[in-house]
Amino acid sequence: MANGKLVKEASPLDSSAQQFALRICYATSVYMDALQRLKDIHTKRDPTRRIEVFVSSDDASSLMDEIRDQFADLYKSLTWRIHDVDRERFNYKGFVEGYDHKNHNLLGEAAAADLWLLSNGEVFIGHLGSRFGKVAYLLATARYNRFIPFFSVDGHSVCCEIDEPCGEMKPYITSMSDCLTFSHDLVQGRGHVLNKDYFEVGSYMRKIVAQALPENESPNVEVTEGEESETIHNTVAADNVSTNNDNP
């Protein structure tokens, strides 16, 4: 949610970091729009093969009832797979990872089962600004041993961390190593200090590390200077796209 409301459009690549209070929740229609696009593409290529949709949700309400009632044509034309569990178990207070609710163990088991279910998908539609979503995507790539196309509703790509603004960090991702292995937790404290406004804007550690390199080792990027925060806020030009086929 943003300001207490479900967002009804996919986020662009230069959207905000997705940590803690900055996390955005999207209306079901955002996912259905991406699914309709996928169906249109697939129908042109292989009209005889019916699409199977693997669904994961911690919504305590009936997501499938909503899809059936509001997206009837899409619902009827696809095959849906979702774990049959008591949705009331998802009525909890606090953080899902916490121990302050009675269904903690069941939630963990449901999450593991859903990750396995999602790993069967050959295309990913969902959050890549979520550790859960990113793990599901990586499990699918491992299962099929190839790149999995994706529609990222939150504007994040596979390469950026969940808690960094992707568009601004894009110029500092210069290799597959940067893409797949960078973690600000691993470099923090090794002479690098996380920006003080982390909880408001997310992690800029990737940029901090790049700017600390000797000049002859600096990434070859173009940066447009803008107003800086008290730490490091150069404005970087970014592609403004809602869904990215270099990210699901």
Side-chain angles (χ1 to χ4, degrees), residues 96-131:
V96 66
E97 302 92 343
Y99 287 90
D100 54 348
H101 49 78
K102 62 182 180 180
N103 288 329
H104 184 269
N105 291 339
L106 293 175
L107 290 173
E109 293 172 3
D114 273 1
L115 285 173
W116 175 87
L117 181 69
L118 294 177
S119 74
N120 288 277
E122 296 179 71
V123 177
F124 178 87
I125 297 174
H127 293 253
L128 285 175
S130 156
R131 288 187 176 90

PDB file of all heavy atoms in Angstrom, residues 96-131:
ATOM      1  N   VAL A  96       5.415 -11.050   9.867  1.00  0.00           N
ATOM      2  CA  VAL A  96       5.221 -12.470   9.608  1.00  0.00           C
ATOM      3  C   VAL A  96       6.379 -13.290  10.165  1.00  0.00           C
ATOM      4  O   VAL A  96       6.217 -14.448  10.540  1.00  0.00           O
ATOM      5  CB  VAL A  96       5.044 -12.721   8.089  1.00  0.00           C
ATOM      6  CG1 VAL A  96       6.326 -12.386   7.332  1.00  0.00           C
ATOM      7  CG2 VAL A  96       4.607 -14.153   7.812  1.00  0.00           C
ATOM      8  N   GLU A  97       7.580 -12.681  10.241  1.00  0.00           N
ATOM      9  CA  GLU A  97       8.745 -13.403  10.746  1.00  0.00           C
ATOM     10  C   GLU A  97       8.763 -13.494  12.272  1.00  0.00           C
ATOM     11  O   GLU A  97       9.547 -14.238  12.844  1.00  0.00           O
ATOM     12  CB  GLU A  97      10.047 -12.714  10.294  1.00  0.00           C
ATOM     13  CG  GLU A  97      10.203 -12.589   8.790  1.00  0.00           C
ATOM     14  CD  GLU A  97       9.658 -11.279   8.268  1.00  0.00           C
ATOM     15  OE1 GLU A  97       8.880 -10.631   8.997  1.00  0.00           O
ATOM     16  OE2 GLU A  97      10.011 -10.890   7.129  1.00  0.00           O
ATOM     17  N   GLY A  98       7.911 -12.722  12.933  1.00  0.00           N
ATOM     18  CA  GLY A  98       7.950 -12.646  14.395  1.00  0.00           C
ATOM     19  C   GLY A  98       7.341 -13.862  15.082  1.00  0.00           C
ATOM     20  O   GLY A  98       6.681 -14.699  14.466  1.00  0.00           O
ATOM     21  N   TYR A  99       7.576 -13.940  16.392  1.00  0.00           N
ATOM     22  CA  TYR A  99       7.061 -15.054  17.186  1.00  0.00           C
ATOM     23  C   TYR A  99       5.886 -14.631  18.058  1.00  0.00           C
ATOM     24  O   TYR A  99       5.534 -15.312  19.011  1.00  0.00           O
ATOM     25  CB  TYR A  99       8.181 -15.612  18.072  1.00  0.00           C
ATOM     26  CG  TYR A  99       9.215 -16.391  17.298  1.00  0.00           C
ATOM     27  CD1 TYR A  99      10.332 -15.766  16.771  1.00  0.00           C
ATOM     28  CD2 TYR A  99       9.058 -17.769  17.090  1.00  0.00           C
ATOM     29  CE1 TYR A  99      11.284 -16.475  16.043  1.00  0.00           C
ATOM     30  CE2 TYR A  99       9.999 -18.482  16.370  1.00  0.00           C
ATOM     31  CZ  TYR A  99      11.110 -17.831  15.849  1.00  0.00           C
ATOM     32  OH  TYR A  99      12.045 -18.537  15.135  1.00  0.00           O
ATOM     33  N   ASP A 100       5.283 -13.487  17.730  1.00  0.00           N
ATOM     34  CA  ASP A 100       4.214 -12.964  18.570  1.00  0.00           C
ATOM     35  C   ASP A 100       2.828 -13.352  18.072  1.00  0.00           C
ATOM     36  O   ASP A 100       1.834 -12.743  18.437  1.00  0.00           O
ATOM     37  CB  ASP A 100       4.330 -11.438  18.675  1.00  0.00           C
ATOM     38  CG  ASP A 100       4.379 -10.760  17.316  1.00  0.00           C
ATOM     39  OD1 ASP A 100       4.548 -11.486  16.320  1.00  0.00           O
ATOM     40  OD2 ASP A 100       4.253  -9.520  17.265  1.00  0.00           O
ATOM     41  N   HIS A 101       2.755 -14.385  17.216  1.00  0.00           N
ATOM     42  CA  HIS A 101       1.458 -14.899  16.803  1.00  0.00           C
ATOM     43  C   HIS A 101       1.507 -16.428  16.787  1.00  0.00           C
ATOM     44  O   HIS A 101       2.556 -17.037  16.572  1.00  0.00           O
ATOM     45  CB  HIS A 101       1.040 -14.342  15.433  1.00  0.00           C
ATOM     46  CG  HIS A 101       2.081 -14.445  14.367  1.00  0.00           C
ATOM     47  ND1 HIS A 101       2.360 -15.615  13.705  1.00  0.00           N
ATOM     48  CD2 HIS A 101       2.925 -13.521  13.850  1.00  0.00           C
ATOM     49  CE1 HIS A 101       3.315 -15.410  12.823  1.00  0.00           C
ATOM     50  NE2 HIS A 101       3.685 -14.149  12.892  1.00  0.00           N
ATOM     51  N   LYS A 102       0.362 -17.037  16.991  1.00  0.00           N
ATOM     52  CA  LYS A 102       0.298 -18.483  17.218  1.00  0.00           C
ATOM     53  C   LYS A 102       0.543 -19.320  15.973  1.00  0.00           C
ATOM     54  O   LYS A 102       0.846 -20.508  16.080  1.00  0.00           O
ATOM     55  CB  LYS A 102      -1.056 -18.848  17.811  1.00  0.00           C
ATOM     56  CG  LYS A 102      -2.241 -18.525  16.889  1.00  0.00           C
ATOM     57  CD  LYS A 102      -3.558 -18.867  17.565  1.00  0.00           C
ATOM     58  CE  LYS A 102      -4.739 -18.543  16.660  1.00  0.00           C
ATOM     59  NZ  LYS A 102      -6.033 -18.878  17.312  1.00  0.00           N
ATOM     60  N   ASN A 103       0.434 -18.731  14.797  1.00  0.00           N
ATOM     61  CA  ASN A 103       0.553 -19.504  13.559  1.00  0.00           C
ATOM     62  C   ASN A 103       1.943 -19.435  12.947  1.00  0.00           C
ATOM     63  O   ASN A 103       2.123 -19.714  11.759  1.00  0.00           O
ATOM     64  CB  ASN A 103      -0.469 -19.002  12.533  1.00  0.00           C
ATOM     65  CG  ASN A 103      -1.881 -19.388  12.899  1.00  0.00           C
ATOM     66  OD1 ASN A 103      -2.119 -20.423  13.509  1.00  0.00           O
ATOM     67  ND2 ASN A 103      -2.828 -18.536  12.546  1.00  0.00           N
ATOM     68  N   HIS A 104       2.946 -19.079  13.742  1.00  0.00           N
ATOM     69  CA  HIS A 104       4.281 -18.859  13.194  1.00  0.00           C
ATOM     70  C   HIS A 104       4.791 -20.067  12.431  1.00  0.00           C
ATOM     71  O   HIS A 104       5.273 -19.953  11.302  1.00  0.00           O
ATOM     72  CB  HIS A 104       5.247 -18.493  14.322  1.00  0.00           C
ATOM     73  CG  HIS A 104       6.620 -18.152  13.841  1.00  0.00           C
ATOM     74  ND1 HIS A 104       7.616 -19.094  13.710  1.00  0.00           N
ATOM     75  CD2 HIS A 104       7.151 -16.979  13.429  1.00  0.00           C
ATOM     76  CE1 HIS A 104       8.704 -18.520  13.257  1.00  0.00           C
ATOM     77  NE2 HIS A 104       8.461 -17.239  13.077  1.00  0.00           N
ATOM     78  N   ASN A 105       4.722 -21.250  13.015  1.00  0.00           N
ATOM     79  CA  ASN A 105       5.246 -22.454  12.348  1.00  0.00           C
ATOM     80  C   ASN A 105       4.468 -22.776  11.071  1.00  0.00           C
ATOM     81  O   ASN A 105       5.056 -23.142  10.047  1.00  0.00           O
ATOM     82  CB  ASN A 105       5.194 -23.649  13.292  1.00  0.00           C
ATOM     83  CG  ASN A 105       6.177 -23.519  14.436  1.00  0.00           C
ATOM     84  OD1 ASN A 105       7.151 -22.773  14.355  1.00  0.00           O
ATOM     85  ND2 ASN A 105       5.927 -24.221  15.523  1.00  0.00           N
ATOM     86  N   LEU A 106       3.152 -22.631  11.123  1.00  0.00           N
ATOM     87  CA  LEU A 106       2.332 -22.918   9.945  1.00  0.00           C
ATOM     88  C   LEU A 106       2.626 -21.934   8.815  1.00  0.00           C
ATOM     89  O   LEU A 106       2.642 -22.310   7.640  1.00  0.00           O
ATOM     90  CB  LEU A 106       0.845 -22.866  10.322  1.00  0.00           C
ATOM     91  CG  LEU A 106       0.349 -23.959  11.268  1.00  0.00           C
ATOM     92  CD1 LEU A 106      -1.106 -23.720  11.653  1.00  0.00           C
ATOM     93  CD2 LEU A 106       0.502 -25.337  10.634  1.00  0.00           C
ATOM     94  N   LEU A 107       2.894 -20.686   9.177  1.00  0.00           N
ATOM     95  CA  LEU A 107       3.215 -19.691   8.153  1.00  0.00           C
ATOM     96  C   LEU A 107       4.534 -20.028   7.471  1.00  0.00           C
ATOM     97  O   LEU A 107       4.675 -19.870   6.254  1.00  0.00           O
ATOM     98  CB  LEU A 107       3.281 -18.301   8.777  1.00  0.00           C
ATOM     99  CG  LEU A 107       1.950 -17.696   9.236  1.00  0.00           C
ATOM    100  CD1 LEU A 107       2.187 -16.388   9.981  1.00  0.00           C
ATOM    101  CD2 LEU A 107       1.025 -17.470   8.058  1.00  0.00           C
ATOM    102  N   GLY A 108       5.499 -20.495   8.252  1.00  0.00           N
ATOM    103  CA  GLY A 108       6.775 -20.893   7.666  1.00  0.00           C
ATOM    104  C   GLY A 108       6.612 -22.053   6.707  1.00  0.00           C
ATOM    105  O   GLY A 108       7.208 -22.066   5.617  1.00  0.00           O
ATOM    106  N   GLU A 109       5.811 -23.038   7.098  1.00  0.00           N
ATOM    107  CA  GLU A 109       5.570 -24.194   6.230  1.00  0.00           C
ATOM    108  C   GLU A 109       4.836 -23.770   4.958  1.00  0.00           C
ATOM    109  O   GLU A 109       5.147 -24.250   3.855  1.00  0.00           O
ATOM    110  CB  GLU A 109       4.753 -25.237   6.984  1.00  0.00           C
ATOM    111  CG  GLU A 109       5.494 -25.878   8.150  1.00  0.00           C
ATOM    112  CD  GLU A 109       4.600 -26.758   8.980  1.00  0.00           C
ATOM    113  OE1 GLU A 109       3.411 -26.923   8.610  1.00  0.00           O
ATOM    114  OE2 GLU A 109       5.071 -27.277  10.009  1.00  0.00           O
ATOM    115  N   ALA A 110       3.865 -22.871   5.092  1.00  0.00           N
ATOM    116  CA  ALA A 110       3.119 -22.409   3.921  1.00  0.00           C
ATOM    117  C   ALA A 110       4.034 -21.642   2.973  1.00  0.00           C
ATOM    118  O   ALA A 110       3.924 -21.771   1.746  1.00  0.00           O
ATOM    119  CB  ALA A 110       1.950 -21.521   4.365  1.00  0.00           C
ATOM    120  N   ALA A 111       4.952 -20.847   3.529  1.00  0.00           N
ATOM    121  CA  ALA A 111       5.878 -20.084   2.697  1.00  0.00           C
ATOM    122  C   ALA A 111       6.791 -21.010   1.909  1.00  0.00           C
ATOM    123  O   ALA A 111       7.026 -20.814   0.711  1.00  0.00           O
ATOM    124  CB  ALA A 111       6.703 -19.134   3.568  1.00  0.00           C
ATOM    125  N   ALA A 112       7.324 -22.045   2.574  1.00  0.00           N
ATOM    126  CA  ALA A 112       8.203 -22.996   1.893  1.00  0.00           C
ATOM    127  C   ALA A 112       7.454 -23.727   0.785  1.00  0.00           C
ATOM    128  O   ALA A 112       7.983 -23.939  -0.318  1.00  0.00           O
ATOM    129  CB  ALA A 112       8.777 -23.993   2.899  1.00  0.00           C
ATOM    130  N   ALA A 113       6.210 -24.114   1.070  1.00  0.00           N
ATOM    131  CA  ALA A 113       5.403 -24.811   0.063  1.00  0.00           C
ATOM    132  C   ALA A 113       5.113 -23.903  -1.124  1.00  0.00           C
ATOM    133  O   ALA A 113       5.159 -24.335  -2.286  1.00  0.00           O
ATOM    134  CB  ALA A 113       4.095 -25.304   0.688  1.00  0.00           C
ATOM    135  N   ASP A 114       4.829 -22.634  -0.852  1.00  0.00           N
ATOM    136  CA  ASP A 114       4.544 -21.696  -1.940  1.00  0.00           C
ATOM    137  C   ASP A 114       5.790 -21.427  -2.783  1.00  0.00           C
ATOM    138  O   ASP A 114       5.696 -21.260  -4.005  1.00  0.00           O
ATOM    139  CB  ASP A 114       4.007 -20.386  -1.373  1.00  0.00           C
ATOM    140  CG  ASP A 114       2.507 -20.406  -1.170  1.00  0.00           C
ATOM    141  OD1 ASP A 114       1.884 -21.448  -1.450  1.00  0.00           O
ATOM    142  OD2 ASP A 114       1.938 -19.382  -0.738  1.00  0.00           O
ATOM    143  N   LEU A 115       6.961 -21.374  -2.153  1.00  0.00           N
ATOM    144  CA  LEU A 115       8.198 -21.179  -2.921  1.00  0.00           C
ATOM    145  C   LEU A 115       8.410 -22.346  -3.885  1.00  0.00           C
ATOM    146  O   LEU A 115       8.807 -22.157  -5.032  1.00  0.00           O
ATOM    147  CB  LEU A 115       9.394 -21.039  -1.979  1.00  0.00           C
ATOM    148  CG  LEU A 115       9.511 -19.705  -1.247  1.00  0.00           C
ATOM    149  CD1 LEU A 115      10.638 -19.765  -0.222  1.00  0.00           C
ATOM    150  CD2 LEU A 115       9.763 -18.567  -2.228  1.00  0.00           C
ATOM    151  N   TRP A 116       8.150 -23.554  -3.402  1.00  0.00           N
ATOM    152  CA  TRP A 116       8.274 -24.724  -4.285  1.00  0.00           C
ATOM    153  C   TRP A 116       7.269 -24.617  -5.429  1.00  0.00           C
ATOM    154  O   TRP A 116       7.605 -24.890  -6.591  1.00  0.00           O
ATOM    155  CB  TRP A 116       8.025 -26.008  -3.509  1.00  0.00           C
ATOM    156  CG  TRP A 116       8.022 -27.215  -4.401  1.00  0.00           C
ATOM    157  CD1 TRP A 116       9.086 -27.970  -4.786  1.00  0.00           C
ATOM    158  CD2 TRP A 116       6.870 -27.787  -5.055  1.00  0.00           C
ATOM    159  NE1 TRP A 116       8.685 -28.973  -5.646  1.00  0.00           N
ATOM    160  CE2 TRP A 116       7.335 -28.887  -5.830  1.00  0.00           C
ATOM    161  CE3 TRP A 116       5.512 -27.493  -5.065  1.00  0.00           C
ATOM    162  CZ2 TRP A 116       6.483 -29.669  -6.590  1.00  0.00           C
ATOM    163  CZ3 TRP A 116       4.659 -28.274  -5.829  1.00  0.00           C
ATOM    164  CH2 TRP A 116       5.157 -29.350  -6.581  1.00  0.00           C
ATOM    165  N   LEU A 117       6.034 -24.202  -5.116  1.00  0.00           N
ATOM    166  CA  LEU A 117       5.006 -24.075  -6.153  1.00  0.00           C
ATOM    167  C   LEU A 117       5.429 -23.052  -7.208  1.00  0.00           C
ATOM    168  O   LEU A 117       5.364 -23.320  -8.415  1.00  0.00           O
ATOM    169  CB  LEU A 117       3.684 -23.640  -5.506  1.00  0.00           C
ATOM    170  CG  LEU A 117       2.489 -23.473  -6.454  1.00  0.00           C
ATOM    171  CD1 LEU A 117       2.034 -24.822  -6.985  1.00  0.00           C
ATOM    172  CD2 LEU A 117       1.336 -22.769  -5.733  1.00  0.00           C
ATOM    173  N   LEU A 118       5.899 -21.900  -6.766  1.00  0.00           N
ATOM    174  CA  LEU A 118       6.286 -20.844  -7.693  1.00  0.00           C
ATOM    175  C   LEU A 118       7.491 -21.228  -8.541  1.00  0.00           C
ATOM    176  O   LEU A 118       7.649 -20.739  -9.660  1.00  0.00           O
ATOM    177  CB  LEU A 118       6.590 -19.554  -6.923  1.00  0.00           C
ATOM    178  CG  LEU A 118       5.410 -18.898  -6.207  1.00  0.00           C
ATOM    179  CD1 LEU A 118       5.876 -17.679  -5.426  1.00  0.00           C
ATOM    180  CD2 LEU A 118       4.315 -18.509  -7.191  1.00  0.00           C
ATOM    181  N   SER A 119       8.325 -22.104  -8.021  1.00  0.00           N
ATOM    182  CA  SER A 119       9.520 -22.510  -8.771  1.00  0.00           C
ATOM    183  C   SER A 119       9.176 -23.275 -10.040  1.00  0.00           C
ATOM    184  O   SER A 119      10.030 -23.468 -10.904  1.00  0.00           O
ATOM    185  CB  SER A 119      10.442 -23.362  -7.892  1.00  0.00           C
ATOM    186  OG  SER A 119       9.921 -24.675  -7.702  1.00  0.00           O
ATOM    187  N   ASN A 120       7.927 -23.711 -10.172  1.00  0.00           N
ATOM    188  CA  ASN A 120       7.498 -24.431 -11.371  1.00  0.00           C
ATOM    189  C   ASN A 120       7.176 -23.500 -12.533  1.00  0.00           C
ATOM    190  O   ASN A 120       7.008 -23.955 -13.661  1.00  0.00           O
ATOM    191  CB  ASN A 120       6.256 -25.282 -11.058  1.00  0.00           C
ATOM    192  CG  ASN A 120       6.580 -26.486 -10.203  1.00  0.00           C
ATOM    193  OD1 ASN A 120       7.007 -27.522 -10.698  1.00  0.00           O
ATOM    194  ND2 ASN A 120       6.389 -26.352  -8.896  1.00  0.00           N
ATOM    195  N   GLY A 121       7.089 -22.217 -12.274  1.00  0.00           N
ATOM    196  CA  GLY A 121       6.720 -21.269 -13.318  1.00  0.00           C
ATOM    197  C   GLY A 121       7.840 -21.026 -14.318  1.00  0.00           C
ATOM    198  O   GLY A 121       9.009 -20.958 -13.952  1.00  0.00           O
ATOM    199  N   GLU A 122       7.471 -20.859 -15.579  1.00  0.00           N
ATOM    200  CA  GLU A 122       8.437 -20.554 -16.632  1.00  0.00           C
ATOM    201  C   GLU A 122       8.474 -19.055 -16.952  1.00  0.00           C
ATOM    202  O   GLU A 122       9.304 -18.602 -17.735  1.00  0.00           O
ATOM    203  CB  GLU A 122       8.099 -21.343 -17.891  1.00  0.00           C
ATOM    204  CG  GLU A 122       8.221 -22.848 -17.702  1.00  0.00           C
ATOM    205  CD  GLU A 122       7.869 -23.624 -18.951  1.00  0.00           C
ATOM    206  OE1 GLU A 122       8.668 -23.579 -19.911  1.00  0.00           O
ATOM    207  OE2 GLU A 122       6.789 -24.248 -18.985  1.00  0.00           O
ATOM    208  N   VAL A 123       7.574 -18.311 -16.355  1.00  0.00           N
ATOM    209  CA  VAL A 123       7.569 -16.843 -16.411  1.00  0.00           C
ATOM    210  C   VAL A 123       7.172 -16.368 -15.019  1.00  0.00           C
ATOM    211  O   VAL A 123       6.318 -16.976 -14.371  1.00  0.00           O
ATOM    212  CB  VAL A 123       6.568 -16.300 -17.452  1.00  0.00           C
ATOM    213  CG1 VAL A 123       6.534 -14.775 -17.420  1.00  0.00           C
ATOM    214  CG2 VAL A 123       6.912 -16.789 -18.846  1.00  0.00           C
ATOM    215  N   PHE A 124       7.806 -15.287 -14.553  1.00  0.00           N
ATOM    216  CA  PHE A 124       7.520 -14.786 -13.219  1.00  0.00           C
ATOM    217  C   PHE A 124       6.780 -13.459 -13.310  1.00  0.00           C
ATOM    218  O   PHE A 124       7.188 -12.558 -14.031  1.00  0.00           O
ATOM    219  CB  PHE A 124       8.827 -14.587 -12.444  1.00  0.00           C
ATOM    220  CG  PHE A 124       8.656 -14.032 -11.057  1.00  0.00           C
ATOM    221  CD1 PHE A 124       8.419 -14.868  -9.982  1.00  0.00           C
ATOM    222  CD2 PHE A 124       8.745 -12.671 -10.828  1.00  0.00           C
ATOM    223  CE1 PHE A 124       8.263 -14.360  -8.700  1.00  0.00           C
ATOM    224  CE2 PHE A 124       8.591 -12.150  -9.553  1.00  0.00           C
ATOM    225  CZ  PHE A 124       8.352 -13.002  -8.491  1.00  0.00           C
ATOM    226  N   ILE A 125       5.677 -13.340 -12.559  1.00  0.00           N
ATOM    227  CA  ILE A 125       4.953 -12.083 -12.420  1.00  0.00           C
ATOM    228  C   ILE A 125       4.845 -11.789 -10.933  1.00  0.00           C
ATOM    229  O   ILE A 125       4.254 -12.577 -10.189  1.00  0.00           O
ATOM    230  CB  ILE A 125       3.542 -12.161 -13.044  1.00  0.00           C
ATOM    231  CG1 ILE A 125       3.625 -12.412 -14.541  1.00  0.00           C
ATOM    232  CG2 ILE A 125       2.763 -10.876 -12.768  1.00  0.00           C
ATOM    233  CD1 ILE A 125       2.268 -12.642 -15.202  1.00  0.00           C
ATOM    234  N   GLY A 126       5.437 -10.687 -10.493  1.00  0.00           N
ATOM    235  CA  GLY A 126       5.375 -10.395  -9.073  1.00  0.00           C
ATOM    236  C   GLY A 126       6.397  -9.371  -8.643  1.00  0.00           C
ATOM    237  O   GLY A 126       6.846  -8.542  -9.425  1.00  0.00           O
ATOM    238  N   HIS A 127       6.766  -9.449  -7.363  1.00  0.00           N
ATOM    239  CA  HIS A 127       7.703  -8.504  -6.759  1.00  0.00           C
ATOM    240  C   HIS A 127       9.129  -9.045  -6.843  1.00  0.00           C
ATOM    241  O   HIS A 127       9.411 -10.132  -6.357  1.00  0.00           O
ATOM    242  CB  HIS A 127       7.382  -8.314  -5.265  1.00  0.00           C
ATOM    243  CG  HIS A 127       6.077  -7.638  -5.003  1.00  0.00           C
ATOM    244  ND1 HIS A 127       5.990  -6.354  -4.551  1.00  0.00           N
ATOM    245  CD2 HIS A 127       4.801  -8.077  -5.120  1.00  0.00           C
ATOM    246  CE1 HIS A 127       4.720  -6.014  -4.386  1.00  0.00           C
ATOM    247  NE2 HIS A 127       3.988  -7.041  -4.735  1.00  0.00           N
ATOM    248  N   LEU A 128      10.028  -8.247  -7.399  1.00  0.00           N
ATOM    249  CA  LEU A 128      11.450  -8.539  -7.261  1.00  0.00           C
ATOM    250  C   LEU A 128      12.082  -7.609  -6.227  1.00  0.00           C
ATOM    251  O   LEU A 128      13.263  -7.707  -5.941  1.00  0.00           O
ATOM    252  CB  LEU A 128      12.164  -8.425  -8.606  1.00  0.00           C
ATOM    253  CG  LEU A 128      11.873  -9.608  -9.538  1.00  0.00           C
ATOM    254  CD1 LEU A 128      12.507  -9.382 -10.914  1.00  0.00           C
ATOM    255  CD2 LEU A 128      12.363 -10.917  -8.945  1.00  0.00           C
ATOM    256  N   GLY A 129      11.282  -6.696  -5.682  1.00  0.00           N
ATOM    257  CA  GLY A 129      11.702  -5.906  -4.536  1.00  0.00           C
ATOM    258  C   GLY A 129      11.283  -6.588  -3.255  1.00  0.00           C
ATOM    259  O   GLY A 129      11.012  -5.947  -2.240  1.00  0.00           O
ATOM    260  N   SER A 130      11.227  -7.896  -3.280  1.00  0.00           N
ATOM    261  CA  SER A 130      10.839  -8.728  -2.137  1.00  0.00           C
ATOM    262  C   SER A 130      11.781  -9.914  -2.084  1.00  0.00           C
ATOM    263  O   SER A 130      12.045 -10.551  -3.103  1.00  0.00           O
ATOM    264  CB  SER A 130       9.391  -9.210  -2.313  1.00  0.00           C
ATOM    265  OG  SER A 130       9.155 -10.396  -1.575  1.00  0.00           O
ATOM    266  N   ARG A 131      12.298 -10.215  -0.908  1.00  0.00           N
ATOM    267  CA  ARG A 131      13.183 -11.383  -0.796  1.00  0.00           C
ATOM    268  C   ARG A 131      12.438 -12.660  -1.140  1.00  0.00           C
ATOM    269  O   ARG A 131      12.992 -13.562  -1.760  1.00  0.00           O
ATOM    270  CB  ARG A 131      13.777 -11.460   0.614  1.00  0.00           C
ATOM    271  CG  ARG A 131      14.822 -10.385   0.883  1.00  0.00           C
ATOM    272  CD  ARG A 131      15.527 -10.593   2.220  1.00  0.00           C
ATOM    273  NE  ARG A 131      16.577  -9.608   2.390  1.00  0.00           N
ATOM    274  CZ  ARG A 131      16.427  -8.426   2.949  1.00  0.00           C
ATOM    275  NH1 ARG A 131      15.218  -8.067   3.379  1.00  0.00           N
ATOM    276  NH2 ARG A 131      17.435  -7.594   3.071  1.00  0.00           N
TER     277      ARG A 131
END
